[in-house]
Amino acid sequence: MENFVNSLPSKNNIKVTYESYKPVFSEIVTNVENKLRKTLQLSSNPTYKSRVKSFNSYYRKVLRLKGEEAEKNNFVELTDMMGIRVICAFLEDLSEVEQQIKDNFVVKEVEYKGAQQSFREFGYESVHVLVSIPKDCMPKKCDLPLPETLVCEIQIRTILQDAWAEVEHELIYKSEFTPFDMPLRRKLASMNASLTLADIIFQEIRDYQKKLQGEVEARRASFYEKADELTLSSNGKKIENPEPKSISRVSPYVHGTIDDMILEAIQAHNHGDLEKAVEIYSIIINSEPTPAAPVLAVIHKHRGMAYFSQNNYTASLEDFQKSVVYDPNAFRSYYYIGIVLSIMNKHEEAIAAYSESIRINEYQSHAHFRRAVSYYKLGDFDNALKDVTDAQSLGLNDAETENLHAKLMEKFGMKM
């Protein structure tokens, strides 16, 4: 019995050694986390968790994996002594984070946890990346010998994967009894499958939003381009409004959700099929039951932009004005009202619309600039100069802004 006891590694000796290294590991893992925070660039900000393995956890693993090595050397290196978890919002972020880690660290190993599990199993999914410790992450002062092969484990998960891993750790790993009966195992497998499906659905929604946002930005860019052409190059000519085109209330377009219809309408707008865009927006507005006020605010704004592209400024203005009725904080709709009124040479009314837009959101450089243009055309050079200066302070320094600023300086007899 005495020989058996003596053959086991001395827990106290190992603990003393490990605790002497722990502050060093804590400094390293903090430095690596800070490097990750500066390095990783994602559309949605990830959350970070870091830890140094507790001694009890470390000791159990040493005895299980490297008991003989522990007898010879009180310090035993493990690959997961230092761990950082990067928790992402969407599935698409996982591969992006992995690639950025590969681009900025020396990667020793990549393991895809849970990738080989069947649908009947309930282990968590996670990407584990082992990286060498960068030189700039090493402690500034360390009197202890550090292994050249020292690594940090970086785990990459979604929010839901991390939630499942935390719960599973409590239910399975830390529990004295694991679920052996099939009903309980099925419940766990079902919960894991539900979280996995939720991750997939979140990603699908994200992909849809990106597609929609891309179409919206393209449509908005064309709107501003035309607005610039009409308001900044106008010689004061009266704008003629064509007769509004009738929209058939009987339409083959009856399928899909409102989101689907909005996307198709915006795509039609971007491809020049303005009649189809207006038709779809009109169907949504006149649908039963009546859409909620926030939806109507958005749809009237979109239809107003489509009418604007058709040179139907009267109908465009009416839609933008309805948009702010349904959403009094729709600063872009007020901005669009100002643009249309400027085109109609109704600059006093345009200034009122721009002012309301700026009241709701004061950080709009273009709204300040367009209001400056209207002030300039009314001969109010003091307010025009103030607005164009504010626009430049907010970062708008294009040729048109500089040109207007130069004209105002001339009015006041000042040289640039």
Side-chain angles (χ1 to χ4, degrees), residues 381-397:
F381 303 130
D382 288 327
N383 278 318
L385 181 59
K386 181 180 183 304
D387 258 335
V388 79
T389 302
D390 287 342
Q392 290 176 318
S393 297
L394 290 169
L396 186 61
N397 292 299

Side-chain angles (χ1 to χ4, degrees), residues 186-215:
R186 288 194 184 102
K187 288 179 182 179
L188 288 169
S190 175
M191 180 59 69
N192 187 29
S194 297
L195 291 173
T196 301
L197 179 60
D199 255 338
I200 293 171
I201 292 173
F202 284 151
Q203 184 59 55
E204 289 177 347
I205 294 172
R206 179 71 161 182
D207 292 341
Y208 178 89
Q209 286 180 327
K210 283 185 176 180
K211 184 177 182 181
L212 179 59
Q213 187 61 34
E215 295 291 345

Side-chain angles (χ1 to χ4, degrees), residues 353-380:
Y354 291 137
S355 297
E356 185 62 19
S357 181
I358 292 169
R359 184 192 66 79
I360 298 168
N361 180 0
E362 62 183 313
Y363 301 107
Q364 298 181 78
S365 58
H366 287 85
H368 281 284
F369 170 69
R370 290 188 183 279
R371 190 171 67 175
V373 172
S374 287
Y375 276 130
Y376 182 84
K377 291 187 176 181
L378 290 175
D380 187 345

